[in-house]
């Protein structure tokens, strides 16, 4: 009975389809198959013996020994029974299961001794596929008289072999990319050996499926390949450093992408084969199925929106956190600290660093101004946005400092009414405005970043808010450091500026002393007409100018300015205009009865800077206009010219910065000092300008009273 069963098994040692049953391999191919697989069996058996002498390794060594033993058995059966034997095919599947077990043993445990569910699911799926393949390979024993069924089982077995090879390659990729650099040194050779083996199996099974039979030439070559990869497994003893591996989010996404791609291709092949096996169906159903697969691929893979949505869904379902914080932090620091002269300004880089977290296409940086509100400072990739210079008031700044991120999208839905009352209308009306991120440095608001709507907008959750708070604080530290460096640089330049003026004052004092001596000598030489004429001319042209300059410098550097008090603005403006007209037309318009709380010296000095700048920017024939009026409970003095004007970029970034001037030989401190003087009196300085049309500087001060009238009456 035993001999009969053995004969039956030998009779069924082939699963070739009938079309290849009578075809015998060529002698060279047959010899390569037998001798190649025989030599590979010997080398893997030697690996088993060598592993028996190793004392360390634990489960990994046991898994490797079992995998090498089953591989040696498989190669021996191929050498004995040739290509396509049932016993050798079953041994091949068992060897693949053993190699999967070896890879599973290499996977390091994660926190709390648990492995990632996605990785375990992939191992379980591949194990199930290989077990199903074993069953499929044994079924021909039950259908010896049905060639059609055997052909169908053959194609099914090759499909399972293709799927298992793809899955094995995905696991190899995941394991290698998740390893630390020192662990990859030991992983390189064994991973290369398994990659070559499964890649060859993938090609072999694909060709067998397409030709509906075993390619005997590839069988002969596989033995040689197994001989070559056996020595690569000797370095597997270096795997002690694998405990330092961590499965990264990127490796998980890449593995899932490969698995889904393989599943998609397998579904296409199996569906097409099913339509061919079921019967001679009409052409229309086949075309419909093909069109469905093509449309699905074209709609999913090239679409950025679908990829972003798929990435977020997988991140929520498969990972504890939505973000890979290691990668996010590295990208963030590389963006902010981008070196080189061609790098964008720091303000733009900080906006980009925060915007890249949510794939936002643009953003706007607003910094805190002297009055505590937010002023537009810089933008990145948002050309359609045209914010006002005074972007937001102090109320919104205080809310951002206390409560954190403000979602503009929620405000449009009627949520968060407290924040809605503080956010300016232009920000809510801007459809692309999405979220406002505060920049806080040591519990003090430095500014805020307004993000443009991302490609895949959504409402933010607690994890998003936490990440934005951390990113905002980091950006605030960069901006505060840059501002400190800028202030230090300005202080040094001011020191040099003051040192130069100290020398000038010394020379002026010497000149005044000489002129004073000349005046005293006039008593002895006054009777000489030539001396008299020269002395009078010198005194009038030199002493007067020098004393005026000394008076201005002395007033600028006095230790303590006067406290602001009520004064008539008309009177102060007329004095400034009288001293600075110099032949250029200046027209005073507006009310005569407006009184404001000012320090007259500081007000005249600030207004003098603005009037002089307007004269310098205007054509000699174009008069400068100074308008006095009121705006609610505030007094305003406007200096209007029709000169060359300034760009919005210059107003935001350079106008109120010291030593930035568009005039040849200018020091660039006029507008800077004017704003500082007005702010010191409790007011503010506003500016409106357009290139080619002129500029309007407005001094806004607390209104004291209207001469002979009531504050509640009168037009602005």
């Amino acid at each position: 009975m035993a001999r009969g069963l053995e004969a039956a098994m030998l009779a069924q040692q082939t699963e070739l389809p009938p079309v290849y049953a009578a075809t015998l391999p060529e002698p060279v191919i047959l010899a390569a198959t037998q001798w190649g697989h025989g030599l590979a069996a010997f080398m893997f058996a030697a690996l088993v013996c060598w592993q028996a002498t190793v004392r360390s390794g634990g489960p990994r060594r046991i898994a490797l020994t079992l995998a090498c033993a089953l591989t040696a058995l498989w190669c021996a059966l191929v050498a004995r029974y040739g290509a396509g034997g049932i016993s050798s095919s079953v041994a091949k599947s068992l060897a693949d299961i053993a190699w999967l077990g070896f890879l599973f043993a290499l996977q390091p445990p994660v926190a709390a001794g648990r492995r990632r569910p996605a990785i375990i699911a992939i191992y379980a799926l591949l194990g199930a596929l290989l077990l199903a393949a074993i069953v499929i390979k044994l079924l021909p024993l039950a259908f010896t008289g049905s060639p059609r069924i055997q052909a169908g089982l053959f194609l099914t077995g090759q499909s399972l072999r293709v799927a298992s090879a793809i899955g094995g390659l995905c696991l190899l990729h995941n394991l290698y990319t998740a390893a630390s650099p020192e662990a990859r040194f030991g992983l390189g050779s064994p991973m290369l050996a398994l990659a070559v083996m499964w890649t060859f199996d993938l090609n072999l099974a694909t060709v067998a499926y397409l030709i509906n039979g075993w390619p005997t030439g590839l069988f002969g070559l596989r033995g040689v390949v197994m001989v070559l990869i056996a020595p690569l497994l000797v370095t597997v003893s270096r795997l002690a450093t694998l405990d330092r591996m961590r499965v990264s989010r990127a490796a998980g996404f890449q593995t899932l992408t490969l698995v889904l791609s393989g599943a998609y291709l397998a579904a296409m092949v199996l569906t097409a084969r099913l339509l061919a096996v079921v019967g001679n169906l009409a052409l229309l159903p086949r075309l419909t199925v093909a069109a469905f697969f093509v449309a699905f691929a074209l709609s999913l893979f090239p679409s950025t929106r679908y990829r972003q949505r798929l990435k977020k869904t997988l991140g929520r379902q498969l990972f504890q956190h939505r973000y890979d914080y290691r990668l996010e932090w590295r990208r963030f620091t590389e963006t902010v600290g981008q070196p080189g002269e061609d790098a964008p300004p720091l303000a733009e880089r900080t906006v980009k660093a925060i915007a890249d977290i949510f794939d936002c296409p643009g953003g706007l940086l607003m910094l805190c101004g002297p009055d505590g509100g937010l002023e537009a400072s810089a933008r990145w990739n948002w050309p359609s946005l045209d914010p006002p210079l005074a972007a937001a008031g102090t109320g919104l700044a205080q809310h951002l400092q206390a409560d954190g991120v403000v979602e503009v999208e929620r405000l449009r839905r009627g949520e968060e009414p407290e924040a809605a009352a503080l956010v300016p209308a232009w920000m809510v009306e801007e459809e692309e405005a999405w979220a406002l991120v505060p920049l806080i440095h040591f519990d003090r608001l430095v500014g805020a970043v307004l993000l443009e709507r991302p490609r895949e907008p959504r409402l933010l959750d607690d994890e998003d808010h936490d990440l934005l708070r951390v990113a905002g604080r980091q950006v605030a530290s960069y901006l505060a450091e840059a501002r400190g460096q800028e202030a230090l640089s300005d202080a040094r330049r001011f020191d040099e500026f003051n040192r130069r003026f100290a020398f000038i004052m010394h020379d002026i004092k010497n000149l005044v002393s000489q002129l004073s001596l000349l005046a005293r000598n006039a008593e002895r030489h006054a009777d000489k007409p030539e001396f008299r004429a020269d002395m009078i001319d010198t005194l009038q042209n030199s002493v007067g100018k020098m004393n005026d300059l000394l008076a201005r410098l002395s007033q600028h550097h006095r230790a303590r300015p006067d406290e602001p008090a009520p004064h008539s603005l008309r009177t102060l403006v007329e004095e400034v205009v009288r001293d600075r007209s110099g032949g250029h037309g200046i027209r005073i318009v507006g009310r005569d009865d407006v009184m404001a709380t000012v320090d007259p010296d500081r007000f005249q000095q600030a207004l003098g800077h603005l009037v002089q700048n307007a004269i310098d920017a205007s054509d000699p024939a174009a008069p400068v206009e100074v308008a006095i009026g009121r705006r609610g409970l505030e007094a305003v003095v406007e200096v209007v010219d029709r000169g060359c004007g300034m760009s919005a970029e210059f107003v935001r970034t350079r106008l109120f910065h010291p030593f930035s001037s568009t005039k040849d030989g200018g020091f660039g401190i006029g507008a800077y000092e004017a704003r500082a003087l007005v702010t010191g009196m409790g007011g503010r300085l506003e500016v409106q300008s357009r290139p080619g049309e002129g500029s309007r500087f407005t001094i806004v001060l607390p209104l004291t009273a209207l001469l002979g009238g009531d504050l509640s009456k009168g037009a602005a």
Side-chain angles (χ1 to χ4, degrees), residues 292-603:
F292 169 77
F293 279 109
V294 172
F296 175 77
L298 292 178
S299 63
L300 178 60
F301 294 104
S303 173
T304 302
R305 165 174 270 180
Y306 281 133
R307 287 201 304 269
Q308 293 293 334
R309 183 173 299 175
L310 178 62
K311 182 178 179 180
K312 293 176 181 178
T313 302
L314 294 178
R316 288 194 300 268
Q317 300 299 328
L318 300 181
F319 298 95
Q320 182 179 1
H321 302 291
R322 174 179 289 115
Y323 303 98
D324 189 334
Y325 290 98
R326 179 179 62 87
L327 295 179
E328 290 291 341
W329 186 251
R330 186 176 65 182
R331 178 203 55 75
F332 182 90
T333 53
E334 288 177 353
T335 301
V336 176
Q338 183 179 351
E341 298 180 356
D342 297 335
L346 176 62
E348 295 182 14
R349 297 201 306 268
T350 55
V351 176
K352 183 179 185 301
I354 296 181
D356 285 345
I357 297 176
F358 299 98
D359 294 327
C360 296
L364 172 70
L365 174 64
M366 297 172 287
L367 297 178
C368 288
D371 60 347
L374 295 176
E375 297 181 353
S377 177
R379 77 179 77 195
W380 172 72
N381 279 359
W382 201 347
S384 61
L385 182 65
D386 187 17
L389 178 61
T394 57
L396 179 59
Q398 295 173 357
H399 178 81
L400 289 171
Q401 181 172 335
D403 298 333
V405 180
V406 173
E407 298 183 56
V408 184
E409 189 66 29
R410 292 186 184 273
L411 303 184
R412 297 191 185 98
R413 299 185 179 188
E415 305 177 16
E416 300 182 6
E418 180 180 354
L422 302 174
V423 175
W426 70 266
M427 197 176 297
V428 180
E429 294 171 357
E430 175 60 47
E431 297 181 355
E432 297 301 321
W434 185 59
L436 192 60
V437 183
L439 310 180
I440 300 177
H441 182 62
F442 290 122
D443 298 328
R444 181 177 62 87
L445 186 71
V446 175
V449 173
L450 179 63
L451 297 178
E452 188 177 1
R453 185 189 301 272
R455 299 179 179 88
E456 190 66 30
R458 59 179 175 83
L459 297 180
L460 303 179
D461 56 21
D462 292 338
E463 186 177 359
D464 299 322
H465 282 260
D466 292 339
L467 180 58
L468 287 176
R469 274 194 292 268
V470 173
R473 287 186 177 274
Q474 188 66 21
V475 164
S477 67
Y478 284 117
L479 293 176
E481 181 181 0
R483 183 175 292 181
Q485 292 291 338
E486 184 179 356
L488 180 60
S489 177
D490 291 343
R492 291 174 177 172
R493 298 172 72 178
F494 266 119
D495 183 64
E496 177 65 23
F497 186 79
N498 292 333
R499 188 160 49 247
R500 290 200 310 267
F501 264 86
F503 296 149
I504 294 174
M505 290 177 64
H506 182 268
D507 295 338
I508 292 175
K509 289 179 180 178
N510 292 336
L511 181 58
V512 171
S513 298
Q514 294 176 4
L515 293 175
S516 299
L517 179 62
L518 177 64
R520 289 195 299 269
N521 291 335
E523 297 178 356
R524 291 181 295 175
H525 304 286
D527 56 340
K528 298 179 180 180
E530 298 83 359
F531 178 81
R532 243 189 347 263
D534 183 67
M535 179 187 65
I536 293 173
D537 184 63
T538 302
L539 290 175
Q540 290 178 346
N541 293 288
S542 299
V543 176
K545 293 181 180 180
M546 296 302 103
N547 284 331
D548 288 344
L549 181 57
L550 284 174
R552 289 170 55 191
L553 291 174
S554 176
Q555 181 184 22
H556 179 71
H557 291 285
R558 66 186 177 186
R560 185 175 181 181
D562 296 337
E563 290 295 329
H567 288 82
S568 171
L569 293 183
R570 181 80 181 200
T571 302
L572 299 177
V573 170
E574 288 177 349
E575 293 180 6
V576 173
V577 170
R578 182 171 57 252
D579 294 338
R580 284 173 173 78
S581 60
H584 193 101
I586 302 178
R587 185 171 65 249
I588 302 176
V589 298
R591 307 180 63 127
D592 299 338
D593 56 351
V594 179
M595 295 186 66
T597 304
V598 297
D599 173 10
D601 293 332
R602 283 189 285 177
F603 174 79

Side-chain angles (χ1 to χ4, degrees), residues 28-273:
V28 176
I29 297 177
L30 180 60
T33 302
Q34 293 177 345
W35 287 98
H37 285 84
L39 182 57
F42 173 78
M43 297 186 68
F44 277 94
L47 285 175
V48 173
C49 296
W50 176 72
Q51 285 294 324
T53 63
V54 178
R55 300 300 180 184
S56 61
R60 296 170 184 166
R61 181 179 62 83
I62 297 175
L64 178 62
T65 303
L66 179 60
C68 290
L70 290 175
T71 303
L73 175 62
W74 161 58
C75 291
L77 291 174
V78 173
R80 171 64 180 85
Y81 297 111
I86 292 179
S87 58
S88 60
S89 298
V90 173
K92 169 60 177 171
S93 297
L94 293 175
D96 287 339
I97 293 176
W99 285 116
L100 287 179
F102 172 65
L103 291 182
F104 187 78
L106 294 181
Q107 290 284 345
V110 296
R114 296 173 295 177
R115 300 179 186 273
R116 291 197 182 277
I119 301 299
I120 296 179
I122 295 176
Y123 277 101
L125 176 62
L126 291 180
L129 290 177
L130 291 173
L131 290 176
I134 293 176
V135 174
I136 293 297
K137 292 169 184 177
L138 292 175
L139 284 179
L141 295 175
F143 299 96
T144 57
S146 179
R148 183 179 179 84
I149 294 179
Q150 288 195 8
L153 294 175
F154 174 80
L155 294 176
T156 304
Q158 300 312 310
S159 300
L160 294 176
R161 184 169 293 183
V162 169
S164 61
I166 293 176
L169 292 174
C170 293
L171 291 177
L172 285 175
H173 178 267
N174 173 78
L175 185 63
Y176 189 78
T177 54
S180 60
E182 58 270 23
R184 292 181 181 179
F185 177 72
L187 273 175
S189 295
M191 295 299 100
L192 177 61
L194 294 180
V196 171
M197 183 183 70
W198 277 327
T199 301
F200 195 92
D201 289 344
L202 175 62
N203 293 329
L204 180 63
T206 303
V207 174
Y209 182 90
L210 294 176
I211 68 174
N212 198 14
W214 287 114
T216 55
L218 287 179
F219 253 100
L221 182 61
R222 186 169 66 173
V224 178
V225 172
M226 297 303 296
V227 171
L228 295 177
I229 68 174
L232 298 177
L233 297 171
V234 176
T235 59
V236 79
S237 60
R238 301 174 180 172
L239 298 180
T241 56
L242 285 179
D243 290 331
R244 306 174 68 176
M245 286 196 309
R246 295 293 183 269
V247 179
S248 67
R249 182 183 296 263
F253 279 130
Q254 292 169 4
T255 301
L256 288 173
T257 301
L258 291 175
V259 170
L260 292 176
S261 300
Y264 171 74
L265 294 176
M268 287 182 59
V269 173
L270 290 177
T271 303
R273 193 65 191 179

Side-chain angles (χ1 to χ4, degrees), residues 603-622:
F603 174 79
Q604 289 180 336
Q605 189 173 353
L607 182 61
H609 284 312
L610 301 180
V611 171
Q612 187 62 47
N613 288 343
I615 292 174
D616 294 339
S618 301
D619 187 85

